[in-house]
């Protein structure tokens, strides 16, 4: 295996992006930030990979327009996944492992506000027995939340504690779409949206984009004193049918963590939990010790641009290695209904 | 004023899929007003039946009929329904484990309010009077109530060869509403058109002029800058003669769709070439925009009805060959 590190990260998160869903204009300054961080130009990038979705944009091949932002003439080595950019990062990491390239720039974008997000996401369900009912993402998460409450695995107070901590931490995040802790009592006094979920239990609809730079060996060392070396990267998916999964657990998150040898020694974890109770599930499934600091950025409850939210978790975690806050961190990304698919990326200073 | 021009857009299409023997059996059962589940290799009874066993990965073969009563194992109250859901008023989504089953099915419960819902409550399927062999052929209701169900608009349909045959396919209408925004540069272009001007943007690095303008230069990946007003005369660089009729076509074939390189631009725009027989259109033909009457103008490229020959001599190939 080649030593590959995260060496660059830039993001934008906003409630409403006043621009086209192709987001080329939004991506240009993010890529410029990546060049500034690395001291590179586009000629130094060996591979480009993006994550986005046509359903979110409401137009076919929406990623093709976005690639104007990277400068594609003469043609560049480029790929795309219809998933969160965290999975694009996985593809880029594999590409570097092949030895074909030494560097990669990964980006994701999504204008979640263009349509009705919780409805659009019903299209990722089983198309025969579920999508025709248009079960929205918030409803599905609420069914999951209640199963855990009824089983005594968490309660509304535990969910509110996740929200309060996230929104308090988000006060220090300039990109947070929602920030400002109040108190658990105050949160619990607010009305239900999708019983037992209140609006603050659900990640806000967020537009945005993010970019991450990966580099192998000496190319990484030329950028940073403390590159965030990827020492484990795995992803696992559960089956399509909600009914055959134990929704109070996340088997795929557990297996993804096991596939990287577990998360022992991780000091900070950025966990992609778009609903408050899912952080509780993931803490257990990922085997995070009690003293692991979760989502110091404020996490997805403070801002969750679609197809970017998972990649941002990896970028936020990597930053903690660069600045010396931690020696070992984890970034986690999820995709699909009720934590169906999970990706874990462990990064270390060394 | 918003920085960008925005407009509602609906993307709609029918998903047409074949269902295979397992789901076909399940959907055929629904059309007949009964539930068909399957026994998996770990002994569980699952409905809807999975096509392949989750453990052995063998095709599902052991089918079980189930009653239409069950128990709610989880529920949520949909306070703000979205389009296409089983009800356009507040209702519950629930996981319901049918009697005799070991795994729940996700569906709607027609309850008056969240206070009528609880984990462990008993529900019964209420079948639609006319059933098509689709998942919306029923909803659940608290056991004991009895209203008549209606199928909403946009309900899926199934395809069968004849009445009574097994359901072999499903057609699910998908319709998604968006507020579509142009980029700021495209917005400037469309606003310019409403004033009878054609605006492009220049790349500060390679100096290429893009029309319609792009937010970034695809060669250099840098933001384009500076509005460039372009002439409405240009050169046909390439073209095709449309002979094929298609849905939504506005002009009777044959007609010519061409790339027109406006004077001063580095990328051609696509438009119609009229006022000349289709078989006389050629590369290098000099053309000029024919604008509709000013009172018909909006923020659209349709302000230009078409391009027509200027009568000038053809452009020299050398002047446009790098733009092909
Ligand atoms: Zn340029």
């Amino acid at each position: 295996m080649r030593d590959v590190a995260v060496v660059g990260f830039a993001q934008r998160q906003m409630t409403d992006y006043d621009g086209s869903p192709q987001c080329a204009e939004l991506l240009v300054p993010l890529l410029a930030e990546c060049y500034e961080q690395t001291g590179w130009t586009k000629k130094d990038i060996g591979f480009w990979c993006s994550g986005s979705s046509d359903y979110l944009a409401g137009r076919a091949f929406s990623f093709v327009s976005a690639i104007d932002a990277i400068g594609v003439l003469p043609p560049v080595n480029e790929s795309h996944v219809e998933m969160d950019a965290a999975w694009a990062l996985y593809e880029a990491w594999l590409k570097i492992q092949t030895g074909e390239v030494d560097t990669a720039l990964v980006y994701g974008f999504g204008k979640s506000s263009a349509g009705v997000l919780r409805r659009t996401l019903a299209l990722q369900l089983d198309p025969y027995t579920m999508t025709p009912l248009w079960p929205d993402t918030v409803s599905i998460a609420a069914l999951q939340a209640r199963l855990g409450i009824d089983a005594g695995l968490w309660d509304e107070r535990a969910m509110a504690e996740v929200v309060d901590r996230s929104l308090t931490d988000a006060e220090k995040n300039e990109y947070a779409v929602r920030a400002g802790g109040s108190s658990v009592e105050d949160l619990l006094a607010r009305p239900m949206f999708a019983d037992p979920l209140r609006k603050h239990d659900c990640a806000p609809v967020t537009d945005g984009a993010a970019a991450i730079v990966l580099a192998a060996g000496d190319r990484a060392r030329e950028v940073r004193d403390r590159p965030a070396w990827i020492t484990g990267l795995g992803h696992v998916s559960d089956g399509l049918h909600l009914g055959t999964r134990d929704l109070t657990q996340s088997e795929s998150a557990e297996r993804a963590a096991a596939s990287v040898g577990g998360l022992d020694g991780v000091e900070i974890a950025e966990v992609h939990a778009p609903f408050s109770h899912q952080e509780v599930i993931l803490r257990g499934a990922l085997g995070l010790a009690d003293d692991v600091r979760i989502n110091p950025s404020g996490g997805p409850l403070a801002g969750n641009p679609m197809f970017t939210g998972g990649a941002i978790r990896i970028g936020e975690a990597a930053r903690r290695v660069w600045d010396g806050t931690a020696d070992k961190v984890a970034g986690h990304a999820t995709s699909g209904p009720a934590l169906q698919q999970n990706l874990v990326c462990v990064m270390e200073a060394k | 004023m918003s920085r960008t021009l925005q407009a509602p857009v609906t993307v709609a299409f029918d998903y047409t899929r074949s269902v295979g023997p397992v789901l076909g059996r399940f959907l055929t059962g629904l059309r007949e007003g009964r539930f068909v589940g399957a026994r998996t290799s770990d002994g569980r009874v699952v409905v809807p039946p999975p096509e392949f066993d989750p453990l052995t990965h063998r095709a599902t073969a052991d089918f079980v009929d189930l009653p239409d009563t069950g128990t709610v194992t989880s529920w949520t109250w949909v306070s703000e329904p979205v389009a296409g859901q089983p009800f356009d008023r507040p209702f519950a989504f629930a996981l319901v484990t049918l009697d005799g089953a070991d795994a729940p099915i996700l569906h709607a419960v027609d309850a008056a309010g969240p206070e009528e819902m609880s984990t462990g409550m008993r529900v019964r399927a209420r079948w639609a009077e006319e059933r098509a062999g689709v998942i919306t052929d029923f909803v659940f209701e608290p056991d004991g109530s009895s209203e008549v169900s209606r199928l909403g608009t946009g309900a899926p349909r199934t395809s069968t060869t004849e009445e009574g045959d097994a359901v072999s396919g499903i057609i699910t209408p998908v319709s998604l509403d968006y507020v579509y925004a142009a980029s700021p540069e495209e917005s400037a272009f469309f606003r310019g058109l409403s004033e009878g001007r054609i605006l492009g943007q220049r790349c500060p690095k390679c100096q290429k002029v893009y029309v319609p303008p792009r937010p970034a230069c695809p060669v250099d990946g840098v933001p384009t800058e500076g509005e460039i007003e372009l002439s409405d005369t240009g050169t046909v660089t390439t073209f095709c003669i449309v002979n094929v009729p298609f849905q939504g076509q506005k002009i009777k074939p044959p007609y010519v769709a061409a790339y027109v390189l406006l004077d001063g631009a580095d990328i051609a725009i696509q438009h119609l070439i009229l006022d000349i027989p289709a078989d006389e259109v050629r590369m290098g033909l000099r053309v000029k925009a024919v604008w509709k009457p000013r009172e018909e103008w909006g923020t659209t490229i349709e302000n230009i009805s078409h391009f027509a020959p200027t009568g000038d001599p053809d452009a020299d190939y050398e002047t446009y060959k790098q733009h092909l």
Side-chain angles (χ1 to χ4, degrees):
Chain A
M1 292 291 240
R2 300 184 74 191
D3 289 335
V4 177
V6 174
V7 297
F9 171 52
Q11 62 176 314
R12 291 287 183 285
Q13 304 183 54
M14 55 199 82
T15 46
D16 183 10
Y17 169 55
D18 178 17
S20 98
Q22 73 191 38
C23 295
E25 172 215 3
L26 184 58
L27 286 163
V28 167
L30 293 184
L31 304 186
E33 273 179 51
C34 288
Y35 296 139
E36 199 183 317
Q37 286 178 24
T38 54
W40 296 344
T41 68
K42 81 170 197 184
K43 290 197 184 69
D44 292 293
I45 306 295
F47 181 61
W48 307 78
C49 199
S50 63
S52 70
S53 170
D54 285 356
Y55 283 109
L56 214 59
R59 59 185 283 180
F61 293 102
S62 52
F63 75 95
V64 174
S65 312
I67 59 177
D68 272 7
I70 68 182
V72 284
L73 273 176
V76 297
N77 192 357
E78 185 268 338
S79 184
H80 173 257
V81 297
E82 194 90 357
M83 291 192 74
D84 191 288
W87 276 264
L89 181 143
Y90 193 103
E91 181 177 337
W93 177 83
L94 273 179
K95 191 79 165 183
I96 295 174
Q97 292 302 338
T98 66
E100 201 183 308
V101 298
D102 297 325
T103 60
L105 199 154
V106 175
Y107 61 99
F109 58 96
K111 185 171 161 155
S112 312
S113 70
V116 181
L117 179 65
R118 64 190 170 106
R119 180 172 187 269
T120 305
L121 292 176
L123 289 164
Q124 64 187 348
L125 298 162
D126 164 26
Y128 307 100
T129 63
M130 291 184 71
T131 299
L133 300 167
W134 292 91
D136 55 286
T137 21
V138 174
S139 292
I140 287 173
L143 293 172
Q144 183 182 38
R146 186 181 304 283
L147 283 168
I149 291 172
D150 287 344
L153 299 171
W154 57 81
D155 56 18
E156 289 177 25
R157 171 164 291 270
M159 290 156 60
E161 281 166 3
V162 169
V163 175
D164 194 44
R165 193 207 69 231
S166 297
L167 298 187
T168 302
D169 285 336
E171 289 170 20
K172 297 190 282 292
N173 181 348
E174 63 178 300
Y175 301 107
V177 164
R178 197 161 62 189
S182 46
S183 71
V184 170
E185 275 65 32
D186 176 46
L187 292 170
L188 289 173
R190 293 184 192 166
M192 288 293 178
F193 175 51
D195 198 332
L197 298 180
R198 296 168 172 85
K199 281 202 169 160
H200 56 242
D201 288 307
C202 316
V205 174
T206 312
D207 295 347
I212 287 177
V213 185
L214 298 183
D218 290 341
R219 294 306 307 268
R221 283 180 207 99
E222 81 189 36
V223 174
R224 298 201 178 266
D225 297 334
R226 281 169 62 93
W229 298 102
I230 296 173
T231 54
L233 188 53
H235 69 102
V236 178
S237 176
D238 289 319
L240 186 62
H241 287 269
L242 290 181
T244 53
R245 285 164 53 192
D246 177 357
L247 295 178
T248 66
Q249 314 282 325
S250 178
E251 192 191 328
S252 57
E254 200 173 324
R255 287 174 57 199
S259 77
V260 299
L263 300 189
D264 283 354
V266 162
E267 299 149 77
I268 292 173
E270 283 281 342
V271 172
H272 193 196
F275 298 92
S276 57
H277 67 277
Q278 292 181 341
E279 184 184 299
V280 181
I281 296 175
L282 287 166
R283 183 186 269 276
L286 297 174
L288 295 171
D290 288 344
D291 59 351
V292 175
R293 181 86 168 86
I294 293 186
N295 292 353
S297 68
L301 295 175
N304 186 40
M306 289 305 301
F307 300 92
T308 301
I312 288 174
R313 305 278 71 76
I314 295 172
E316 285 284 1
R319 288 204 304 136
R320 311 289 167 170
V321 173
W322 301 342
D323 67 16
T325 315
D327 291 327
K328 186 172 183 181
V329 300
H332 161 266
T334 196
S335 186
L339 300 174
Q340 185 204 15
Q341 306 176 42
N342 292 281
L343 178 148
V344 175
C345 179
V346 178
M347 292 164 282
E348 292 180 63
K350 59 178 179 184
Chain B
M1 188 175 73
S2 171
R3 186 178 64 136
T4 60
L5 285 172
Q6 313 203 356
V9 173
T10 300
V11 177
F13 52 91
D14 284 352
Y15 256 132
T16 306
R17 305 162 185 272
S18 57
V19 294
V22 177
L23 279 165
R25 188 185 278 247
F26 170 70
L27 296 174
T28 304
L30 293 184
R31 197 179 57 198
E32 293 164 3
R34 59 190 178 86
F35 288 109
V36 177
R39 201 179 304 277
T40 54
S41 62
D42 57 2
R44 294 195 297 166
V45 172
V46 179
V47 59
E51 290 176 279
F52 296 94
D53 190 278
L55 296 175
T56 65
H57 309 143
R58 291 211 175 88
T60 301
D62 188 2
F63 295 97
V64 189
D65 276 345
L66 293 159
D68 57 8
T69 50
T71 303
V72 167
T73 56
S74 186
W75 61 274
T76 183
W77 190 249
V78 185
S79 57
E80 297 174 27
V82 294
Q85 289 184 335
F87 299 97
D88 56 9
R89 55 181 161 79
F91 68 99
F93 268 125
L95 293 171
V96 173
T97 304
L98 293 174
D99 296 336
D102 300 291
I105 182 171
L106 175 97
H107 218 291
V109 179
D110 185 8
E115 60 286 344
E116 212 179 284
M117 295 297 302
S118 61
T119 303
M121 71 185 281
R122 299 285 297 161
V123 291
R124 174 183 293 276
R126 186 174 78 212
W127 298 96
E129 280 175 4
E130 286 189 27
R131 294 185 295 273
V134 291
I135 195 70
T136 50
D137 279 349
F138 71 100
V139 294
F140 287 107
E141 61 184 14
D143 202 1
S145 63
S146 60
E147 269 183 63
V148 178
S149 181
R150 298 173 303 274
L151 277 177
T153 53
R157 319 179 285 283
T158 51
S159 55
T160 47
T161 46
E162 266 176 52
E163 181 71 26
D165 285 358
V167 172
S168 58
I170 180 169
I171 301 163
T172 307
V174 172
S175 179
L176 299 165
D177 295 318
Y178 300 91
V179 175
Y180 192 87
S183 70
E185 295 76 16
E186 289 163 339
S187 299
F189 172 72
F190 289 120
R191 285 182 175 126
L193 284 169
S194 70
E195 300 162 359
R197 306 157 70 208
I198 303 175
L199 299 176
Q201 298 252 158
R202 190 190 297 279
C203 169
K205 231 167 157 179
C206 68
Q207 305 299 319
K208 281 196 169 61
V209 172
Y210 295 102
V211 60
R214 299 160 170 247
C217 172
V219 178
D220 298 298
V222 298
T224 55
E225 307 178 333
E227 258 169 35
I228 308 287
E229 185 159 353
L230 292 145
S231 157
D232 67 357
T233 55
T235 302
V236 172
T237 59
T238 186
F239 65 95
C240 77
I241 301 176
V242 179
N243 290 299
V244 181
F246 56 84
Q247 197 183 4
Q249 199 169 38
K250 291 180 177 171
I251 303 168
K252 196 173 178 305
Y255 60 90
V256 175
Y259 272 2
V260 175
L261 183 69
L262 295 174
D263 296 337
D266 289 288
I267 192 163
I269 60 170
Q270 195 188 327
H271 218 300
L272 294 166
I273 309 295
L274 301 176
D275 305 340
I276 176 175
D279 60 0
E280 289 178 24
V281 174
R282 56 203 179 265
M283 289 171 77
L285 180 73
R286 293 287 295 161
V287 292
K288 182 169 173 51
V290 176
W291 295 79
K292 287 182 182 167
R294 184 174 274 271
E295 58 273 17
E296 289 176 29
W297 287 358
T299 46
T300 164
I301 189 70
E302 290 182 283
N303 293 357
I304 297 173
S305 152
H306 60 276
F307 281 80
T310 61
D312 294 333
D314 285 3
D316 187 2
Y317 181 66
E318 293 297 315
T319 64
Y320 61 89
K321 72 170 185 189
Q322 67 272 36
H323 299 297
L324 290 176

